[in-house]
Every structure is written in C-alpha cells, then in structure tokens.
Amino acid sequence: MADRSKAEVVRRLFGVNLEQQGRGFYVPLEMLAIARGVYLAHQEDPEKHAGLLDDGDRVAYKRTSHDLARRIATKAPIAEGDEELSKAVELDSPETLETLQALFSSLLVEIPGRRSQPSWFGAHIYPFVGELIHYDAVDRRISQRGASPKKKEQARKLTAKVKAPSIERYLFRGPGGWAYKVLRSDPDPDRKAATRQGLDDLVRDSGTPLGNLAKALSAHDFDYDEEPYEDDSERDIDLYEDLSPWPGLLRIGARNIVARTTTPRAKRTESLMHWVPYCLARHQLRLARRKLGLTDGESILLDFGNEATPLRSGSQKNLTSFRNDIANAINVQARKMINEAEGDEAKKGRYERFTKETGNAFASPQAFFSETLAAVGALNATTGRRHFTMKPPMLEALVSATIPQGTEMEFDQFCALLYKNYGLVTEKTVAAASPLAHEVDSSVLEHNGKAFREKLAAIGLLTQYSDATSMVRGEPR
C-alpha cells in the first residue's frame, strides 16, 4: 500500500495524518516546539512574525534541534569531532562530559513500549523549561552541492559520506500542528488570551541554571534555523468541530492547565503533555464513530480496581470495539473516496486496498489511538490485555483540565461531570445513566467508585471531611 494513499484517506477522515510513529508524547512535543518557535520568531522581529496563537495564513517559527544535547545524552558520536565539541564542552576533564550525559539522559522523555535504546534523534528532551523545548531532527548525509552557505560550512566539518543532524519532521507527523491550530483558532477571545498568557510562561526563557545550560549548548548545535521556518501545513488540517466536541474540550482543558499560576511550571507542562494527546485520541475515536453513523457519545468504563472483575472485562471490550470502529471507519472513508474518483482507475485502485487489507491497512492509525492512550496512562499497559484506567499523571491532568484554578467540586458532582463531558464511567450513580447500566453489577461499580476516590486522595486531589463530604480540587494542597 502506498503511504501517500494511506495518508490521504486518514487525513480526510481525521483531519490530520495519524500514524503510529507520531503517537503519544510526540503530539505535545511538536505542539510546544511550534509554540516555542513562534515565540522566538516574534521576539526576533515582532513586526514581521505573528505572536503566540495569533491569527494568520501560516505559522512562522524558529526551530531548535538540541542535537548536541541529545547526542551527548545518548552517547552518540559527534560527527564534527572533538574539536567542535570542545567549543561547547570542556574536554580537559572527562567528568564534565559524563556529568552532562547523566543530566540530559535523565531529562529524556520516556516512550512506553519502546523495546530498544533509541538513536539520538529518537530521544527527545522533556520540556520542563522553555530553553529545553526543541524540534525534530534526524541524521542525513550533508552535501555541499547546491547548498546554502550555512550548509556548506557545516559540510566542511565532516569527513566524506558521514551523516549529521538535519532539522526536519521525522517523528513529528503533524498532530502537534493540529493541536496548535486548535488553540490559535479558539473562538472565545477571553479564553484564548488566558491560554496565550499561560502558554507564553511555559515556552519563554526561564533564566534558570538548567535553562541557561540548555541555551548555551544549543548555540553549538549542528543544524539550526537562520530564519524562521514558514509552515503552511495548517491549510491541510481540518478540525471537524461540527463533528466532535474534543477541539473545544482541548481548549477548555489547556486554558485551565496553563493558567494555573499557583502550580509549578514543570507540573503544568506535565499536565499539558498528557492532556493534549488524550484529547486527540478521543477526537479520533469520535470522528470514526460519526463516520459509522454512531452519533451518541461513547461511554468508557474506567477500571480503578486491583483485580479482574466484570467491569474490567467490559472495559477491555470497550477498547476492542473502539479499535474496530477506527478500522471500519477507514474502510467506509476509502469506499467514499473510491466513489469520488470516477474515471481515475489508478486512484481507485490505491483506495481499494483499504477495503481488502484489513490487517496492515489499519494497523498504524489504530495503533495511534491505543498506543497514545497507553503512553499517557489512560490504559493499563502498552501490550497484552488492556483496559481503560487513569494512572496518576493522567489523572492529575484530567482533574487540572476539568476544575479551574481556585475552585473545588464535590466528588459525586465531579464524577457526573466526567461522564457528561468525556463519557467516562467511574461509579454506580453515573453508570445508571449510561448505556452500560445493565452490563456491570452495581456492587462492582460501587467498589470501583471507592477505589477512584482513594486514588484521588492518594495524589492529593481529594479531601474527605468528617461529615462524609469529599471535595476534589485541581491541584494538591
């Protein structure tokens, strides 16, 4: 199957190309890299380049690769040699390089399910401060022929046929651009302004020792943007807000997260890193079900117990059914595009593969959905028997996105809101209102509700009072 035809079908259905390679944390990493780049470009020339979340026909941003820090972190060879490395790192003492390696390796984003140590370009630094945010890059052969003066100068540092860092999309596949477009197209001006201010605080220079070190190393990256990169890929992204509530829910949650000024910057960043991909995966599912004519919102059983129960079996069936919905929706979309391609037999032939190769054709978009949820902690595991749940970081992000700063909510009211907004079934009162009411015994759901309450209390987001009242708040005390 041609990748191009796959991308056409997937993009038409979901509004953006969703592939396994760009799953999970790569979505917010890309979004934050765009936001940081927009901030840098605007700082450099505010009259020429739009600011953070500003409207415009295209987005211009400066891309930082952090290729040197990432190569140090993974102990990758420095293609430019020790002479160039010594300009950034004092090599007289091996302890300096070892210390930097230990520091930056500890800052790498963990990708669940990864079976081997990645190459440096498969390792990304967690964006705890603005100076650590970076774009995608990969090793490429650098040629002087037809190259810019910068590229020619770079090529002179290398021996023949040696690969070196090149800034480009490799693991970033466009979903981060979808998320950035969602935020910058927010129709609510007050919410957009609050999101802009909060996001600006996350992507601007922190001025901390860690930030200063990262900035100093990035000055010695092999590849970098001399001028802001003009990105017009947003024109190929459709948000489909008339078919799914998730772009709106992403905006509400992102505002609540980034505007939480009493919460440390690193915690706000972590919550955003979990909330953004979760919203996109749920958006993908909603669009798939709408394509199949399923207009009711999906109900999802969240299992917080420690043992196998009928609730867990139901949650597992949930996941299997949703993965099938995605495959079937791609099939329907392909058939629609075949009908639209009247007279173009070559195009029809490419799309017909989606109606036959039910295994390989749908594996990557399906994997984007389930592996993204697993990565952020909305599933119990990346492989094996999987069910819906919420691990602590994802649960913190969910609560932070749902409850605005400075407010709290009674536990039962919070559970009802989770079902109303997101279709999440956590306990028996909520389950009674969902299509799952007759699938799981109420005693099992009652036990699950207690486990959910205990998990919230364990991470400091719920307080139980003497009058049996339990209050949920958006940040720990």
Side-chain angles (χ1 to χ4, degrees):
M1 179 194 327
D3 286 341
R4 188 173 180 180
S5 61
K6 178 196 288 187
E8 289 174 3
V9 175
V10 172
R11 187 180 293 113
R12 278 281 300 274
L13 177 56
F14 301 121
V16 62
N17 192 21
L18 302 179
E19 300 288 352
Q20 180 182 14
Q21 194 167 1
R23 68 195 183 280
F25 291 124
Y26 295 124
V27 179
L29 286 172
E30 181 182 7
M31 186 199 78
L32 288 170
I34 293 172
R36 166 73 175 176
V38 168
Y39 166 79
L40 292 175
H42 182 69
Q43 289 289 108
E44 189 175 277
D45 191 342
E47 293 187 1
K48 183 178 180 181
H49 301 297
L52 200 58
L53 301 186
D54 285 349
D55 297 328
D57 295 331
R58 62 172 59 183
V59 180
Y61 50 90
K62 294 201 76 170
R63 299 170 299 177
T64 302
S65 68
H66 264 317
D67 61 68
L68 180 58
R70 290 196 277 164
R71 286 183 287 167
I72 290 174
T74 56
K75 298 183 178 179
I78 306 299
E80 309 92 297
D82 288 349
E83 183 179 346
E84 286 295 321
L85 180 59
S86 65
K87 296 177 182 178
V89 180
E90 179 56 65
L91 296 178
D92 290 343
S93 171
E95 293 180 357
T96 302
L97 190 58
E98 290 173 3
T99 301
L100 286 175
Q101 189 277 324
L103 171 62
F104 283 100
S105 64
S106 72
L107 296 175
L108 296 180
V109 178
E110 292 187 15
I111 305 298
R114 183 178 272 164
R115 295 182 176 85
S116 59
Q117 178 69 24
S119 303
W120 71 264
F121 48 83
H124 290 70
I125 300 171
Y126 210 97
F128 287 116
V129 294
E131 296 92 335
L132 288 173
I133 297 173
H134 61 85
Y135 200 75
D136 214 0
V138 69
D139 270 339
R140 296 292 184 201
R141 296 197 187 281
I142 308 296
S143 173
Q144 293 194 40
R145 184 177 299 175
S148 66
K150 185 195 84 168
K151 289 289 185 182
K152 289 180 179 178
E153 180 62 29
Q154 289 173 314
R156 293 190 189 101
K157 302 175 183 177
L158 308 174
T159 58
K161 298 183 179 179
V162 172
K163 292 183 178 180
S166 174
I167 295 179
E168 59 184 81
R169 278 196 171 118
Y170 178 67
L171 291 168
F172 293 176
R173 293 304 180 98
W178 174 88
Y180 188 77
K181 183 175 182 177
V182 167
L183 295 182
R184 88 182 190 107
S185 61
D186 192 340
D188 185 327
D190 293 336
R191 183 174 61 205
K192 183 176 177 179
T195 303
R196 177 189 290 112
Q197 183 176 349
L199 191 59
D200 180 274
D201 187 46
L202 297 185
V203 303
R204 66 169 47 249
D205 288 354
S206 66
T208 60
L210 176 60
N212 293 336
L213 174 61
K215 197 169 185 178
L217 284 177
S218 69
H220 297 276
D221 284 342
F222 185 84
D223 200 9
Y224 52 91
D225 279 342
E226 293 179 291
E227 295 293 333
Y229 172 67
E230 297 280 347
D231 189 354
D232 59 1
S233 61
E234 269 197 8
R235 67 185 181 185
D236 298 323
I237 294 175
D238 293 308
L239 301 183
Y240 294 141
E241 295 190 67
D242 57 327
L243 301 176
S244 167
W246 282 97
L249 293 172
L250 170 58
R251 293 179 185 127
I252 295 170
R255 187 273 313 276
N256 286 342
I257 290 170
V258 300
R260 202 173 292 279
T261 54
T262 57
T263 301
R265 179 195 297 222
K267 180 59 68 175
R268 280 176 278 156
T269 299
E270 183 180 35
S271 292
L272 197 64
M273 287 278 289
H274 287 75
W275 179 246
V276 171
Y278 180 79
C279 288
L280 180 52
R282 293 294 305 275
H283 179 64
Q284 178 190 17
L285 175 61
R286 177 59 62 89
L287 292 177
R289 289 170 61 81
R290 288 297 296 264
K291 177 60 67 173
L292 297 175
L294 303 172
T295 56
D296 59 314
E298 58 275 5
S299 293
I300 294 178
L301 283 167
L302 293 185
D303 178 15
F304 292 101
N306 296 320
E307 57 188 17
T309 63
L311 185 150
R312 179 165 297 182
S313 297
S315 187
Q316 291 167 345
K317 291 177 182 177
N318 261 173
L319 179 59
T320 300
S321 175
F322 294 156
R323 282 173 53 85
N324 289 337
D325 288 342
I326 290 171
N328 293 334
I330 293 173
N331 188 300
V332 171
Q333 180 63 46
R335 292 182 185 279
K336 178 180 180 181
M337 293 172 71
I338 289 171
N339 293 333
E340 294 173 349
E342 294 182 7
D344 192 334
E345 295 303 318
K347 184 177 289 187
K348 289 171 66 176
R350 293 199 305 270
Y351 297 149
E352 281 173 356
R353 299 186 181 191
F354 282 93
T355 67
K356 299 175 183 178
E357 300 177 12
T358 56
N360 295 333
F362 310 129
S364 187
Q366 276 184 322
F368 177 89
F369 172 72
S370 52
E371 292 189 24
T372 290
L373 293 181
V376 300
L379 294 181
N380 65 306
T382 56
T383 58
R385 295 285 287 173
R386 294 178 291 179
H387 58 266
F388 291 99
T389 188
M390 287 278 172
K391 295 181 180 179
M394 183 64 229
L395 188 53
E396 288 179 351
L398 178 72
V399 176
S400 181
T402 305
I403 301 179
Q405 177 175 303
T407 63
E408 56 184 6
M409 188 177 296
E410 202 277 325
F411 176 73
D412 290 340
Q413 182 186 0
F414 177 66
C415 291
L417 189 62
L418 292 185
Y419 178 67
K420 177 184 176 182
N421 287 356
Y422 317 130
L424 300 177
V425 178
T426 54
E427 46 87 52
K428 67 175 185 178
T429 305
V430 170
S434 80
L436 304 170
H438 305 293
E439 295 185 18
V440 182
D441 187 85
S442 61
S443 62
V444 175
L445 287 162
E446 183 176 9
H447 179 76
N448 192 66
K450 291 180 180 178
F452 180 39
R453 189 193 307 261
E454 291 170 0
K455 181 160 285 191
L456 286 170
I459 58 178
L461 298 178
L462 178 142
T463 300
Q464 298 181 348
Y465 295 96
S466 57
D467 62 353
T469 301
S470 298
M471 302 299 294
V472 184
R473 56 187 171 277
E475 62 275 316
R477 282 184 178 170

